Amino acid sequence: MEAKLLIAVPRPLRTLLTYVHPTTNPIDLLGCRVSVPLGHGSSIGVVLGLADEQAINQYKLKAIKTLLDREPLLDAHLLELIQWATRYYQHTIGEVVFTALPNALRDGKPLPQTMTWQALHKSAASSQLKRAKRQADLYQWLIQQNVPCSASTIHTHVGDGWRQVLAALIDKGLVQEQLSLSQAGLPYLGTVTPKLELSQQQNTCLEQCRIWIKAPNPQPTLLHGVTGSGKTEIYLRLIEDALASHKQTLILVPEIGLTPQLVQRFTDHFPEQRISCLHSGLNDTERLQAWMEARSGQADIVIGTRSAVFTAFAHLGLIIIDEEHDTSLKQQEGFRYHGRDLAIKRAQMLNIPILMGTATPSLETLHNAEQGRYHYFRLEQRPGKARQPSLEVQDIRGQHLHSGLSKLTLQALERTLERNEQAMLFINRRGFAPMLLCPACGWLAHCPACSANMTYHARKSRVICHHCGTDEHAESHCPACNHPQLMTQGHGTERIELVLQQYFPETPIVRIDRDTTSRKGALERHLETVRTTDRLLLVGTQMLAKGHDFPNLTLVVILDVDAALLSSEYHALERFGQLLTQVAGRSGRSDKPGHVILQTTQPQHPMLLTLLQSGYLAFAQQLIEERKRWQFPPFSYQALIRAEAAEMEQALQHLEQLRAVIPSQTGVSIMGPVPAPLEKRAERYRAQLLVQAENRHLRHICLTYLTSQEKNSPNQKSIRWSIDIDPVELS
Ligand code: ADP
Ligand code: ZN
Ligand code: ZN
């Protein structure tokens, strides 16, 4: 019998293509890859559905060339999630499907067979491994596992260089290599590491979560715990529960590379379970390995960044999202999905619990909790002796600053170092200074490709555009008037580091930003220095705001955040409150009290005062009120239509045409088109149009007008346009 199959191909098409294939069981083909004829060539595709028999009789349909998979790569739930995401984000189906597949499977290569390794009990082992600590560790671990282990779990356990360690054990006849068979999760026998005793608050929270999770249709749960309140401990206990009932857990985190400590805590707590990490540091093969382990049920716990939301699982039972508010959970190009929102959808489709933890919930999540759509639990205290840090606002108007630092700040740094403690200076800008200019004629180093200044990097003696990456030698003479000296304005991390070196020549200084951590292992080395040096100064960008635990850090100085307070972008204040709270939360995490200094020219800003005097929750509630007054999200639903072209006029005109396609409707307002805040990036002019609707349905209808018009205004090389649903920034 011949079946008509609906197939997604990796092209910018909004529809599925229909092909025929001889089979009696077409259902079994859903989620399999195929090779199909397309145009004059052929393409890979994924079977997504069965075609309606009547609807397509008028065409002579082509047949599938080859069926590439013997079993579906994507199960029915994932296919449903993919279809939902395609509709919700108004994106092309092919791109969504192929985003969900690991890179290594996108070109039609067969699903490889995975190898596993198992330790053999040998009495001679201890003498054979006497002088090889890493081999001995791995051997011991493999013995404990007592089942064949996969590459990625061994990688997670051993770290870099695992292949050599493993190869040595195989050579010595202590480990056996074999083809893997998919299997159910390991029986969970409890951990051997001593556990922390939970505080009373943590216990109450855990018990509450357990009750909620057992409900037949569990609602999402927001765990709003101040920084350092022990949210991770709650995650660990809930994962124990999932393991005990043979379920897998997916943990989504914003950026794994930035928080190696977090992964370590999971591996320490679950020494016998198999944990796979999916992060950007993996190559395609490693990523595929981790994906297949989740799919076969070999991995008990999967920790990954946003794209891990599409991981196939054999028996997923729990999803945890750490730092729910973090915008890096949202993809900012191409298929612009939000990892958190898709995870919530996935949990709902599977009817499994999802827990979101953060110290600074996003306004939309907090609003959902306040409306009763999510369960809500607060952890207001740090366990043990740790307390929330005290905050001090320093008015720097009219003050003489030493390369950005006030006299009071310098004194506070000195006192901290005298006590043999650590201080951290936060400034959200890398490089030496954001401006390099000529004092004689006013020339300014400007990016030739963007409407932005170049940032001066003193170490490398270069000017770099942080938007497009243009990187040029920094002139020593003014290119306009040949004046022999250029000057800088403003500060970045590099400059702060330099001034600290001058004031505290004896003190070790660690700078953490994208420039100092680009090499593999560099961040780990820096963090190790911070862990092992009592008396130290730490300088860095928002990379420092993320979940790090520095027990000896007692002073945090926050520089140059005034721009966020004064920004007209309505997301800016929310982000400011989150960043400030997260950065401040790095201090005073053990028994020593923490202190935070905020240098600002806006000490009377009402929202700043609310944040400092009443805390993040009151601040966020006030912002929610404001959003309500202005009918901004979460009280309305936005889509940002972006266009870019060689000329601003073209981009604007294109958006004008798109705008004209949407009939005016009550409940919908359309703003723009206007030039984007960064008007030009990498030689392209950028404009935007904001669609704001009373509800999601109306928004969807409006956008359908646009997408159905696409044939008349296709994405040409000269003009590109895209839809961003629930934008997290309007730039
Ligand atoms: P969060 O995830 O909320 O920022 P963590 O789970 O990282 O907090 O906990 C912060 C610190 O407090 C960690 O060093 C952790 O080991 C410690 N901690 C957490 N819970 C307890 C507890 N019940 N008793 C003692 N220390 C705890
Ligand atoms: Zn000049
Ligand atoms: Zn540029």
Side-chain angles (χ1 to χ4, degrees), residues 196-199 202 228-233 265 383 549 589:
L196 285 174
E197 192 163 335
L198 294 188
S199 68
Q202 282 171 312
S229 58
K231 295 181 288 295
T232 313
E233 289 301 318
R265 275 175 79 183
D549 204 10
R589 287 172 73 93

Side-chain angles (χ1 to χ4, degrees), residues 303-335:
I303 309 179
T305 45
R306 59 177 179 259
S307 62
V309 74
F310 293 112
T311 310
F313 282 90
H315 24 245
L316 182 61
L318 172 67
I319 303 179
I320 289 172
I321 303 181
D322 193 31
E323 311 295 1
E324 160 282 325
H325 65 279
D326 199 305
T327 51
S328 51
L329 286 166
K330 173 135 194 211
Q331 168 107 350
Q332 300 281 25
E333 57 189 26
F335 170 36

Side-chain angles (χ1 to χ4, degrees), residues 447 449-450 465 467-470 682:
C447 176
C450 305
C465 173
H467 299 284
C468 72
T470 296

Side-chain angles (χ1 to χ4, degrees), residues 170-348:
I170 296 170
D171 280 349
K172 289 179 181 163
L174 296 174
V175 165
Q176 187 184 26
E177 187 172 62
Q178 61 201 71
L179 266 180
S180 91
L181 304 164
S182 61
Q183 53 186 211
L186 270 187
Y188 181 59
L189 307 168
T191 59
V192 287
T193 36
K195 288 189 211 165
L196 285 174
E197 192 163 335
L198 294 188
S199 68
Q200 200 185 345
Q201 245 196 7
Q202 282 171 312
N203 255 323
T204 316
C205 173
L206 179 63
E207 287 317 316
Q208 196 60 61
C209 287
R210 282 182 169 147
I211 294 171
W212 289 333
I213 280 175
K214 284 207 194 88
N217 293 303
Q219 276 184 353
T221 299
L222 169 61
L223 174 54
H224 178 190
V226 297
T227 51
S229 58
K231 295 181 288 295
T232 313
E233 289 301 318
I234 309 279
Y235 304 162
L236 294 170
R237 308 301 155 111
L238 293 175
I239 296 169
E240 285 177 14
D241 294 352
L243 288 168
S245 46
H246 305 284
K247 295 288 190 194
Q248 295 168 290
T249 301
L250 167 65
I251 304 163
L252 285 187
V253 297
E255 283 155 287
I256 296 187
L258 295 185
T259 47
Q261 267 181 329
L262 183 77
V263 176
Q264 188 65 46
R265 275 175 79 183
F266 285 95
T267 48
D268 285 351
H269 193 89
F270 297 110
E272 295 175 19
Q273 305 309 124
R274 291 157 308 175
I275 303 179
S276 295
C277 277
L278 280 162
H279 57 85
S280 55
L282 302 181
N283 64 29
D284 285 354
T285 319
E286 292 169 327
R287 194 166 256 283
L288 178 61
Q289 280 283 347
W291 187 87
M292 293 199 307
E293 286 157 24
R295 180 170 169 274
S296 67
Q298 283 175 333
D300 301 298
I301 299 170
V302 173
I303 309 179
T305 45
R306 59 177 179 259
S307 62
V309 74
F310 293 112
T311 310
F313 282 90
H315 24 245
L316 182 61
L318 172 67
I319 303 179
I320 289 172
I321 303 181
D322 193 31
E323 311 295 1
E324 160 282 325
H325 65 279
D326 199 305
T327 51
S328 51
L329 286 166
K330 173 135 194 211
Q331 168 107 350
Q332 300 281 25
E333 57 189 26
F335 170 36
R336 294 168 180 262
Y337 64 96
H338 202 305
R340 174 198 62 206
D341 297 346
L342 282 183
I344 291 172
K345 192 70 202 170
R346 187 163 185 191
Q348 190 194 2

Side-chain angles (χ1 to χ4, degrees), residues 11 50 66 80 140 150 207 296 310-311 470 480 490 513:
R11 302 280 161 99
L50 308 183
T66 342
E80 194 188 345
Q140 216 47 53
S150 64
E207 287 317 316
S296 67
F310 293 112
T311 310
T470 296
D513 56 27

